[in-house]
């Protein structure tokens, strides 16, 4: 089941039971593949997606005696299969490089809580160390998006009378599995903070559906009832879980990919909170069995069993996602699939249908013996498990979709470099020059701005074919292109940057921010008549607390400012554009946008008195960070020789744009 595909997936048609004598690969080929469609337009910067765990059920490990299941997926037109190890930097790097991966969904994990009580080393190896390897390799490959799939269990137990937990709630895991997932999240967050790796984290409720390995409660109980055996509940059976159908979960991850913001965490919450006793009752009803016939038994509980998990998923719903499959409908679809294919699909599953998995805890190893011997310890632990050994999958979805099967626990040493290379720039910070006219000073202006703006900022120069050809003649420009610091591109089709109204339309169009600006959160726009000063004691990074900063129009303005040299927060811009549309030939884009952004809840808009420190246009301020030369060159700034002399002494590079502007006014043709 492809995690990136969409919701409400249903088996195609009715299938007759399959004989046990058939080859297992024939069963896999005969069983329906659940598919869906996306409601989103393709993202321009997403070409190939690596999905770890992609040949299993959602983000679970798929424990199987064979790997032919991956071969079945490999027959799909937009999927390919690649075998390797998430704990091997060499394997992961080979995948990333061979298929030019730009986006990662990290689903692969050991996820069975009962197993974590007995062989927790494996959970640390896969869930923590494996995640560390994926992050390090993703950093080296300059991945554009890294979506880490976590679990609601990292929050720990939630009391019956407590409110649903938000993404900002404290993590308090209570079992080794949940602790390993929380530890992995800490690494993901550290790579976002330290290296600006563009990450997002998803914490989901319990996912269920066809194809899930029968160690999980719904498929396990279904298979037991199919065999005419009792189902056994841990403890009193009153523990509750919130269940989410796999199609809805896939839709949630699709929404996070297309609409999620880098650096954010999203709960994937279900409205269907079901106790284990209620679950059993509904399964018995699906089989036409009565509860009075003693089909339910009870056993001792886990060492610790959280009574309840509860997350608030409103943040994801605000992006447009919603749960669409009611539990009754999803359960029927799942039960029907297991009654049709479950026993044959997985082969011999006798060993996993017991009340608790039969495992032996590996011995503790002194630290001096542990060094250099991790592989043998993990091998000993795996040998303590009974039944088929777990296998992991990585898959790719996009124009070219790849798969990746993990079968070993090798733990090689990773060489890390704590000093970012020249190509490690932040996708979240973007400076852009837009100018279609091939002015002679554009190359000098662009090189100056690259030197003055903080090193980690990326640059785009957007122009016409003629202006791009002129700028590209510069050897330093070519070097910046090669290092991926600078991208030169034409104005996208459908936009017109040759006149003011065309610019206003482009800068107030959601498509511009989604196709050109994404994944940036801070966007510095500058035009050919603007410049930042090298001698300024301010940094562009000093202004990131604000949603909009530009040269003030009037000192009494509470917010807003000229957009020709402006810094804007992209998420706030998008929030406006999701609900409002600028009328053509109405207010200029900077005034239209900034006035609406200032009315948003929790808006942070710099007042005019503060904006004068950022940029000067027609209101004088000593030693601002930059200048914008209005077409009238107002007397309040440029009107006398002493003022001009003061500006030239502080910011001599302003002559790059000043003298060119004067020359164009004198000789407009």
């Amino acid at each position: 089941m492809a995690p990136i595909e969409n919701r409400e997936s249903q088996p195609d048609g009715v299938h007759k039971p399959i004989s046990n004598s058939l080859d297992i690969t024939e069963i896999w080929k005969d069983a329906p593949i659940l598919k869906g469609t996306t409601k989103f337009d393709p993202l321009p910067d997403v070409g190939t997606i690596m999905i770890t765990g992609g040949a299993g059920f959602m983000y679970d490990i798929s424990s199987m005696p064979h790997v032919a299941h991956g071969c079945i997926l490999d027959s799909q037109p937009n999927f390919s299969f690649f075998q390797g190890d998430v704990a091997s930097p060499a394997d992961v790097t080979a995948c990333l490089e061979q298929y030019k991966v730009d986006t990662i969904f990290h689903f692969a994990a050991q996820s069975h809580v009962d197993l974590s009580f007995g062989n927790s080393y494996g959970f640390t190896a896969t869930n923590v160390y494996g995640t560390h390897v994926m992050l390090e390799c993703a950093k080296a490959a300059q991945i554009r998006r890294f979506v880490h799939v976590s679990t609601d269990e990292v929050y720990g137990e939630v009391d019956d009378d407590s409110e649903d937990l938000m993404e900002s709630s404290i993590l308090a895991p209570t079992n080794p599995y949940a602790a390993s997932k929380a530890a992995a999240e800490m690494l993901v967050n550290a790579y976002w903070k330290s290296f600006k790796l563009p990450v997002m984290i998803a914490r989901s409720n319990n996912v269920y559906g066809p194809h899930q390995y029968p160690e999980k409660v719904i498929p396990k109980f279904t298979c037991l009832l199919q065999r005419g055996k009792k189902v056994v509940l841990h403890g009193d059976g009153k523990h509750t879980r919130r269940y989410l159908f796999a199609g809805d979960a896939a839709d949630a991850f699709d929404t996070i990919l297309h609409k999620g913001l880098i650096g954010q965490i999203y709960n994937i919450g279900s409205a269907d909170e079901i106790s284990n006793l209620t679950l059993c009752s509904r399964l018995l009803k699906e089989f036409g069995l009565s509860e009075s016939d003693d089909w339910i038994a009870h056993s001792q509980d886990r060492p610790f069993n959280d009574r309840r998990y509860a997350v608030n998923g409103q943040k994801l719903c605000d992006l447009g996602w919603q749960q669409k499959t009611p539990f009754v409908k999803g359960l029927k679809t799942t039960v029907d699939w297991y009654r049709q294919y479950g026993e044959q699909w997985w082969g011999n599953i006798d060993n996993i249908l017991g009340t608790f998995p039969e495992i032996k805890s590996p011995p503790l190893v002194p630290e001096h013996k542990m060094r250099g011997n991790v592989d043998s310890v993990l091998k000993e632990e795996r040998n303590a498990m009974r039944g088929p050994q777990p296998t992991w999958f990585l898959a790719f979805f996009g124009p070219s979709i790849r798969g990746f099967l993990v079968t070993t626990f090798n733990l090689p040493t990773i060489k890390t470099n704590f000093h970012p290379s020249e190509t490690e720039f932040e996708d979240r910070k973007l400076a852009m020059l837009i100018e279609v006219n091939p002015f002679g000073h554009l190359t000098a202006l662009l090189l100056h701005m690259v030197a003055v703006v903080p090193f980690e900022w990326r640059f785009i120069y957007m122009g016409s074919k003629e202006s791009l050809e002129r700028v590209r003649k510069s050897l330093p420009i070519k070097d910046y292109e090669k290092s991926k610091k600078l991208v030169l591109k034409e104005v996208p089709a459908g936009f017109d940057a040759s006149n003011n109204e065309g610019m206003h339309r482009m800068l107030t169009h959601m498509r511009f921010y989604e196709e050109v600006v994404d994944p940036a959160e801070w966007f510095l726009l500058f035009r050919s008549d603007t410049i930042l000063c090298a001698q300024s004691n301010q940094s562009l990074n000093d202004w990131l607390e604000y949603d909009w900063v530009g040269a003030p129009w009037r000192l009494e303005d509470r917010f807003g400012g000229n957009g020709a040299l402006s810094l804007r927060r992209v998420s706030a811009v998008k929030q406006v554009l999701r609900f409002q549309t600028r009328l053509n030939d109405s207010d200029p884009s900077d005034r239209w946008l900034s006035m609406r952004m200032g009315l948003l809840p929790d808006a942070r808009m710099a007042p005019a008195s503060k904006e004068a420190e950022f940029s000067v246009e027609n209101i004088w301020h000593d030693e601002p960070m930059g200048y914008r030369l209005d077409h009238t060159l107002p007397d309040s700034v440029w009107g006398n020789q002493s003022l001009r002399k003061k500006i030239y002494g502080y910011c001599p590079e302003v002559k790059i744009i000043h003298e060119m502007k004067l020359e164009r006014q004198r000789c407009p043709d």
Side-chain angles (χ1 to χ4, degrees):
M1 182 175 189
I4 204 65
E5 293 183 339
N6 205 25
R7 50 210 176 271
E8 295 192 295
S9 303
Q10 300 288 343
D12 298 326
V14 178
H15 297 262
K16 296 180 180 179
I18 299 173
S19 170
N20 287 328
S21 63
L22 288 177
D23 184 270
I24 195 168
T25 58
E26 294 301 318
I27 296 172
W28 286 335
K29 291 178 181 178
D30 184 83
I33 295 176
L34 279 65
K35 294 184 177 181
T37 57
T38 179
K39 64 182 179 181
F40 300 108
D41 293 329
L43 293 171
D45 59 344
V46 176
T48 304
I49 303 175
M50 170 192 271
I51 300 183
T52 70
F57 172 80
M58 299 305 294
Y59 56 84
D60 289 337
I61 288 178
S62 294
S63 298
M64 295 182 290
H66 306 287
V67 299
H69 184 221
C71 299
I72 301 299
L73 286 175
D74 203 26
S75 66
Q76 301 303 305
N78 61 344
F79 179 95
S80 294
F81 184 76
F82 189 103
Q83 183 172 348
D85 182 354
V86 288
S88 167
D91 287 352
V92 177
T93 298
C95 264
L96 295 173
E97 292 181 350
Q98 180 175 349
Y99 299 112
K100 296 180 173 58
V101 174
D102 48 60
T103 303
I104 293 175
F105 272 81
H106 183 38
F107 284 79
Q110 291 223 42
S111 61
H112 192 28
V113 175
D114 286 342
L115 287 176
S116 77
F117 289 119
N119 65 330
S120 55
Y121 286 154
F123 284 74
T124 300
T126 301
N127 299 354
V128 183
Y129 185 81
T131 299
H132 195 170
V133 171
M134 293 299 302
L135 290 166
E136 189 66 25
C137 294
K139 176 171 74 75
Q142 300 181 51
I143 293 299
R144 295 178 183 272
R145 289 176 180 83
F146 187 105
V147 181
H148 177 72
V149 181
S150 189
T151 170
D152 58 355
E153 295 195 35
V154 297
Y155 294 115
E157 189 175 55
V158 181
D159 293 335
D160 290 339
D161 57 352
S162 296
E163 293 184 356
D164 291 355
L165 299 181
M166 308 290 290
E167 288 83 354
S168 58
S169 299
I170 294 174
L171 304 189
T174 59
N175 60 68
Y177 157 64
S180 70
K181 294 297 288 185
E185 283 198 31
M186 297 301 101
L187 282 169
V188 173
N189 186 61
Y191 270 69
W192 159 239
K193 295 294 186 180
S194 296
F195 307 112
K196 299 306 177 185
L197 186 70
V199 304
M200 291 180 277
I201 295 174
R203 297 172 180 158
S204 176
N205 286 150
N206 284 29
V207 180
Y208 72 98
H211 299 266
Q212 190 172 26
Y213 190 55
E215 68 184 5
K216 301 295 184 175
V217 63
I218 291 179
K220 174 187 280 190
F221 284 7
T222 301
C223 291
L224 285 169
L225 292 173
Q226 180 80 347
R227 293 182 175 197
K229 296 184 177 182
K230 295 181 179 182
V231 299
V232 183
L233 290 175
H234 296 167
D236 60 13
K238 295 181 180 179
H239 309 80
T240 67
R241 296 293 184 265
R242 296 185 180 183
Y243 289 96
L244 184 69
F245 187 65
D248 286 333
D251 194 22
F253 292 114
D254 194 26
T255 302
I256 290 171
L257 171 65
H258 288 85
K259 296 297 183 181
L261 296 178
I262 301 300
Q264 294 297 304
I265 301 171
Y266 295 96
N267 288 333
I268 306 176
S270 167
D272 296 317
E273 185 167 354
I274 310 293
S275 73
N276 290 339
L277 280 171
T278 301
L279 174 62
C280 289
S281 297
R282 295 188 179 185
L283 285 171
L284 290 172
K285 184 177 180 180
E286 290 293 330
F287 279 85
L289 301 173
S290 171
E291 294 181 53
S292 61
D293 293 335
D294 197 25
W295 285 98
I296 303 174
H298 294 264
S299 72
Q300 67 182 36
D301 209 343
R302 291 171 173 173
F304 186 86
N305 196 352
D306 293 319
R307 300 292 290 185
R308 178 175 182 260
Y309 301 121
V311 299
N312 185 317
Q314 186 58 46
K315 184 175 178 180
L316 180 60
C317 293
D318 290 342
L319 299 183
W321 177 80
Q322 58 180 309
Q323 182 182 1
K324 294 188 175 181
T325 307
F327 184 71
V328 172
K329 180 179 179 180
L331 185 66
K332 178 175 176 53
T333 299
T334 304
V335 171
D336 288 348
W337 187 91
Y338 278 96
R339 296 181 74 173
Q340 185 84 7
Y341 300 104
E343 291 285 341
Q344 297 93 342
W345 182 270
W346 296 108
N348 186 355
I349 56 174
D350 292 345
N351 67 300
I352 61 168
L353 294 182
T355 305
F356 291 97
E358 299 179 34
I359 54 177
K360 296 179 182 179
S361 180
L364 294 175
V365 181
E367 182 180 358
H368 69 279
K369 292 184 179 181
M370 188 71 172
R371 293 182 186 141
N373 200 32
V374 175
D375 286 343
S376 62
V377 173
L378 294 175
K379 181 178 180 181
E380 183 176 355
E381 174 188 338
R382 294 199 302 277
N383 289 337
M385 298 177 61
R386 296 178 59 183
Q389 296 305 304
T391 56
W392 291 260
F393 292 86
L394 298 183
F396 302 81
F397 285 79
S400 175
I401 298 183
R402 313 297 175 199
F404 189 99
L405 167 64
V406 178
T407 56
T408 66
F409 282 93
N410 296 327
L411 301 178
T413 301
I414 298 178
K415 295 182 179 180
T416 58
N417 176 15
F418 294 100
H419 302 283
S421 68
E422 292 184 352
T423 59
E424 290 179 331
F425 308 113
E426 293 189 22
D427 285 341
R428 300 272 286 173
K429 298 177 180 179
L430 174 65
M432 184 184 300
L433 169 63
I434 303 177
E435 181 56 71
V436 296
N437 295 301
F439 294 142
H441 73 294
L442 292 182
T443 301
L445 173 62
L446 193 54
L447 291 174
H448 170 78
M449 293 293 280
V450 169
V452 172
V453 170
F455 170 80
E456 73 273 13
W457 285 68
R458 295 184 301 114
F459 275 76
I460 291 178
Y461 168 48
M462 183 183 294
S464 62
K465 287 185 178 180
E466 186 179 2
S467 65
L468 293 176
E469 288 175 0
R470 180 161 190 165
V471 169
R472 194 172 271 123
K473 292 178 181 179
S474 165
L475 182 59
I477 292 292
K478 292 179 180 178
D479 288 339
Y480 281 127
E481 276 195 285
K482 185 177 180 180
S483 71
K484 300 182 181 180
K485 169 78 169 179
L486 170 65
V487 173
L488 305 185
K489 62 193 309 177
E490 288 188 60
V491 175
F495 291 130
D496 181 7
S498 64
N499 58 77
N500 287 336
E501 176 58 22
M503 283 290 297
H504 295 321
R505 294 181 186 183
M506 180 169 67
L507 293 172
T508 54
H509 201 293
M510 181 68 86
R511 178 179 152 230
F512 172 76
Y513 292 93
E514 291 183 339
E515 295 185 4
V516 180
V517 179
D518 272 356
E521 171 67 355
W522 295 283
F523 172 40
L524 174 71
L525 174 66
F526 64 101
R527 303 298 306 279
S528 61
D529 57 357
T530 66
I531 199 163
L532 295 180
C533 302
Q535 294 192 67
S536 172
N537 60 9
Q538 302 180 72
S539 166
L540 189 59
N541 290 336
D542 296 338
W543 297 86
L544 299 185
E545 63 179 293
Y546 296 110
D547 295 340
W548 181 285
V549 188
W553 294 300
R554 301 175 305 173
L555 280 177
E556 58 268 26
D557 287 341
R558 292 188 299 113
F559 50 74
N562 193 283
L565 177 60
S566 61
L567 178 66
R568 55 193 80 185
R569 188 185 298 272
V570 177
S571 58
V573 173
K574 289 181 177 179
Q575 193 171 348
V576 170
L577 297 181
R578 285 191 185 102
F579 303 102
Q580 300 189 54
T581 302
R582 174 184 175 270
L583 297 177
N584 292 340
D585 301 306
S586 61
D587 287 341
S589 58
D590 48 11
R591 188 176 297 277
W592 187 90
L593 264 179
S594 63
M595 295 296 290
R596 285 158 177 79
M597 290 168 65
L599 299 176
L600 293 174
D602 302 321
R604 292 298 307 274
M605 308 291 283
S609 57
K610 183 69 175 178
E611 287 185 309
E613 301 174 19
F614 177 82
S615 176
V616 162
E617 181 182 358
N618 57 12
I619 296 177
W620 175 263
H621 191 279
D622 281 337
E623 300 187 354
M625 192 168 70
Y627 290 92
R628 193 261 170 149
L629 274 64
D630 181 77
H631 63 281
T632 60
L633 293 176
D635 290 343
S636 58
V637 179
W638 304 98
N640 64 69
Q641 185 176 2
S642 62
L643 292 179
R644 292 195 299 272
K645 184 177 180 181
K646 190 169 186 177
I647 293 173
Y648 294 153
Y650 161 65
C651 187
E653 59 269 35
V654 77
K655 293 183 179 180
I656 295 175
I657 58 174
H658 191 187
E659 294 182 1
M660 289 295 296
K661 191 173 189 69
L662 291 174
E663 184 64 18
R664 288 200 300 275
Q665 289 179 351
R666 189 177 67 85
C667 304
D669 297 329

